[in-house]
Amino acid sequence: VSTEGKPFLADDLGVFGNPTSDSRRTAVTLATKDLLSVIYADEELPDSELSEILDFTAEMIVRYNGGKIVLKQIARA
């Protein structure tokens, strides 16, 4: 997967996600215990709107998957 010109996520083993593609290595399966959800948004979106999106996303994850939210954070590059 080309990451040229795109934001992406990586760890010590390499790239595992960007706005258009995910890695098999980090795919969610029935054995998944922890989940990281990243929301890519336009940099001009105000924090108040991003917070609403984060809250809604967190609510849906818990509603349909169970568990608990450990951290919600807005990070700007």
Side-chain angles (χ1 to χ4, degrees), residues 7-66:
F8 61 88
L9 303 172
D11 60 14
D12 292 340
L13 299 177
V15 174
F16 63 84
N18 67 47
T20 60
S21 180
D22 290 323
S23 165
R24 281 188 199 268
R25 178 172 62 87
T26 59
V28 175
T29 69
L30 293 176
T32 299
K33 300 291 182 204
D34 297 309
L35 177 72
L36 169 67
S37 179
V38 176
I39 300 168
Y40 294 94
D42 188 293
E43 61 190 19
E44 295 179 12
L45 208 61
D47 283 359
S48 60
E49 196 166 337
L50 286 171
S51 289
E52 288 179 23
I53 293 168
L54 285 174
D55 291 342
F56 176 78
T57 302
E59 180 183 328
M60 293 299 106
I61 288 171
V62 171
R63 178 182 296 173
Y64 294 106
N65 300 289

Side-chain angles (χ1 to χ4, degrees), residues 73-77:
Q73 180 176 343
I74 295 171
R76 295 195 180 267

